[in-house]
Amino acid sequence: MDSAEFVRSLVETAIASSAAILLVMLLRRVLRAAFGARLAYAAWWLVPVAIIAVLLPAARDGAVPPSVQVLMQAVMPTTGSALDATSTADRSAWLFAFWLAGACASALWFLGQQRAFRRVLGRVQARGDGLFQAQSIAGLPAVMGVWRPRIVVPADFDDRYGPEERTLLREHERAHIRHGDLQSNALAVLLRCVFWFNPLLHAVARHFRHDQELACDQRVIARHPQARRCYGEAMLKTQLAAQPLPLGCHWGFSHPLKERIAMLKVPAPTKRRRLAGAAFLLVFGLASAYAAWAMQPGDAAAIPAGNIQVKLSLQIDDGAIQENTYVVPEGGRFVMSATAGGHEWNIDATAAPGKDELLMFDSRLSRDGKLMEAPKIGLRNGQPGVIQVGTDHSAAGGKFEGVRIEVTLTQSGPPVAVEANADPAAALAPPAYPRQAVEQKLDGTVMLLVDMDADGRVTGVQVDHAEPAGVFEAAAIEAAWKWRFTPARKDGKAVPGRVKVPVTFKADRPAAGSATPKA
């Protein structure tokens, strides 16, 4: 994944996570009243689920809201109006660097908070009952550590709390450990570092922690229903912390104790209500994840009108494959550069609409500034094609020597399906003779490389060479897409294949010139 694709994914997941957060904020109190605090806390998992859903392969024809399209087109490098590779790469690289600096700064900030809380505790010593005792009292008891959690109690733990209160406090912190609340807090910190630029994520962090504490309170009371009063008194005796604890759970950093104590009076939901709430949340979560996946734009949906998206994959000999994506105006020029084998390679190309719903890729391949080839290819919208310049020795157990270019051209709108000509009499219908060639009485030959599927339908057309260059290629490619072939057979079954088709243009033939393909 290059920097442009990373920034694109970052924007898409930020939009999806923000929508999920707003949804949770609307539902949390309703879920708490109907199914209990534990279900309201579980609803926060909709946020990472939405992020994962967006990272799955996109629905190409999803109905993206116009406002989302505008936002994505404004900030994502791959959907801008870049005229060449340099401007696109520079913009995406700067955005990636800016994001990385913010993510690192956020991580350092949270690390500073964690260390500040730890310093306030003073010396922490192990007790005989498996707990750890600090020299301070603020914000304790607390459980610290993501992978090896330990419960830390205040210096006056044995004096301030009675025996039953100490039992309930230990139960509370152990409930955090059993239900993975420390790992959930670590995930929340990670998301805040990744999406440091999203103020909504930071604003709702305290609501997430509050729902976490309410859920933990409900679990403890469910196991000790007769200890509500004692549990509430223990809350009132606890001192609020002066520092937040990002990676841990403690009794409070500005926790609304009034609401927590009021929740102790609410009867615990029955098992049937909890199951109904879990079923509702599961169905709702799956529906939300599907909506997030389906609403993300596919490649074609993110292309501004009047532009063509070009996906290029370049391989020199058997070296590493280098990929890039550009969005250029129709007929616009772009350049892809690569270094391989001690040489500087450049593809200087244009992409423009052609006839018969084809998109034309016209390129000049140079090595160290010297022109090597000028390959052209006509492609259907959204369908890949391959250009090979060199010799393929793979059939004899050798390697490919040369340049292999895979290109996909996509206009705004869904890809156009290939419709093969079903009329056998027109299976190799000749191409139209270019008017300019007729007037100048030009002859010529175009050697086409035609790919076909197992049904003989054309799936790709490439110019191998043409004489003279730049005269007859477009007409030959346009005709080739209408052809149909008898595919080769292997083990009695038709298989896809590639054939070379020479197309000869003779201006001195009847009917003001004609062209004849030979399969």
Side-chain angles (χ1 to χ4, degrees):
M1 177 184 291
D2 59 20
S3 57
E5 292 176 343
F6 180 84
V7 173
R8 175 191 174 98
S9 299
L10 193 65
V11 173
E12 291 177 353
T13 50
I15 294 172
S17 60
S18 296
I21 288 171
L22 293 175
L23 191 60
V24 173
M25 290 299 294
L26 289 174
L27 291 177
R28 55 193 287 267
R29 292 186 180 275
V30 177
L31 291 174
R32 190 188 306 160
F35 306 113
R38 282 179 278 184
L39 260 297
Y41 173 53
W44 286 101
W45 280 103
L46 292 177
V47 178
V49 167
I51 293 174
I52 294 173
V54 169
L55 293 177
L56 295 176
R60 293 186 61 88
D61 55 354
V64 185
S67 57
V68 175
Q69 291 191 31
V70 169
L71 175 60
M72 294 173 66
Q73 292 176 11
V75 299
M76 289 194 295
T78 58
T79 61
S81 57
L83 296 179
D84 52 47
T86 303
S87 60
T88 299
D90 287 347
R91 183 184 179 191
S92 60
W94 277 108
L95 287 173
F96 176 78
F98 180 64
W99 168 83
L100 184 61
C104 292
S106 298
L108 291 174
W109 183 67
F110 283 116
L111 180 61
Q113 284 190 331
Q114 187 79 10
R115 296 187 66 179
F117 186 89
R118 178 64 183 81
R119 284 196 300 268
V120 170
L121 298 182
R123 185 179 179 184
V124 178
Q125 293 180 315
R127 291 163 49 105
D129 54 2
L131 305 180
F132 292 80
Q133 193 157 21
Q135 289 181 310
S136 66
I137 60 175
L140 298 176
V143 57
M144 303 176 61
V146 178
W147 308 118
R148 299 178 60 185
R150 55 180 183 174
I151 300 174
V152 182
V153 297
D156 59 350
F157 184 65
D158 296 316
D159 297 330
R160 186 191 309 179
Y161 303 103
E164 187 177 3
E165 292 173 339
R166 293 197 295 269
T167 299
L168 293 173
L169 293 179
R170 284 194 298 267
E171 183 67 26
H172 178 96
E173 304 303 339
R174 287 169 180 165
H176 278 308
I177 298 173
R178 285 195 305 269
H179 292 86
D181 290 344
L182 287 97
Q183 289 75 25
S184 298
N185 291 342
L187 177 59
V189 169
L190 176 62
L191 293 179
R192 292 178 70 183
C193 290
V194 172
F195 301 104
W196 58 268
F197 52 87
N198 187 356
L200 182 61
L201 198 61
H202 302 292
V204 301
R206 63 186 184 90
H207 297 291
F208 164 75
R209 297 293 290 265
H210 178 51
D211 287 346
Q212 182 182 87
E213 291 300 323
L214 289 177
C216 192
D217 292 341
Q218 194 172 80
R219 293 189 190 102
V220 175
I221 293 302
R223 300 185 60 160
H224 304 274
Q226 306 302 322
R228 297 176 187 270
R229 181 181 180 86
C230 183
Y231 192 76
E233 291 175 349
M235 284 186 187
L236 293 175
K237 292 180 181 180
T238 301
Q239 299 291 323
L240 297 183
Q243 293 285 343
L245 179 60
L247 301 179
C249 303
H250 59 136
W251 275 78
F253 177 64
S254 300
H255 280 171
L257 290 180
K258 181 179 179 180
E259 185 175 4
R260 290 182 63 184
I261 293 175
M263 282 291 297
L264 299 180
K265 302 178 182 179
V266 179
T270 62
K271 184 177 181 180
R272 179 176 296 180
R273 283 177 59 194
R274 292 200 306 271
L275 291 176
F280 169 80
L281 195 59
L282 177 63
V283 173
F284 190 82
L286 291 175
S288 301
Y290 176 78
W293 170 78
M295 291 289 283
Q296 63 174 312
D299 293 336
I303 303 172
N307 289 259
I308 297 177
Q309 177 182 268
V310 184
K311 287 188 174 181
L312 276 183
S313 174
L314 173 65
Q315 185 178 22
I316 311 296
D317 296 329
D318 275 353
I321 297 176
Q322 303 182 55
E323 299 178 339
N324 215 332
T325 301
Y326 315 99
V327 175
V328 298
E330 294 176 354
R333 172 180 168 271
F334 59 96
V335 178
M336 179 176 180
S337 300
T339 302
H343 298 283
E344 183 71 23
W345 296 82
N346 286 288
I347 302 175
D348 190 338
T350 60
K355 297 181 180 179
D356 196 26
E357 298 181 329
L358 291 180
L359 298 175
M360 304 301 299
F361 177 79
D362 190 347
S363 66
R364 294 171 62 85
L365 176 65
S366 61
R367 183 180 69 179
D368 298 329
K370 182 180 179 181
L371 180 64
M372 303 294 292
E373 294 284 346
K376 301 179 181 179
I377 188 171
L379 300 168
R380 293 290 183 179
N381 188 16
Q383 297 195 355
V386 177
I387 298 172
Q388 289 190 173
V389 179
T391 306
D392 192 351
H393 301 287
S394 58
K399 298 181 179 180
F400 176 77
E401 296 178 353
V403 180
R404 181 184 287 108
I405 304 170
E406 181 172 335
V407 57
T408 303
L409 304 180
T410 309
Q411 280 182 309
S412 55
V416 179
V418 176
E419 296 181 2
N421 195 325
D423 184 0
L428 287 180
Y433 211 102
R435 182 181 299 274
Q436 182 182 3
V438 173
E439 294 174 352
Q440 299 179 7
K441 296 184 179 181
L442 293 177
D443 297 342
T445 301
V446 179
M447 181 63 75
L448 296 178
L449 298 176
V450 182
D451 296 310
M452 71 188 80
D453 60 17
D455 294 325
R457 297 184 176 89
V458 176
T459 59
V461 182
Q462 177 184 334
V463 176
D464 185 63
H465 62 268
E467 182 65 34
V471 178
F472 300 105
E473 293 96 320
I477 290 172
E478 181 180 350
W481 280 104
K482 302 176 183 178
W483 297 343
R484 182 139 181 194
F485 298 84
T486 301
R489 303 185 74 83
K490 183 177 182 180
D491 298 330
K493 295 182 179 180
V495 294
R498 167 179 281 194
V499 293
K500 279 190 174 182
V501 183
V503 183
T504 304
F505 293 80
K506 290 291 185 180
D508 58 356
R509 292 186 180 179
S514 62
T516 305
K518 299 177 181 179

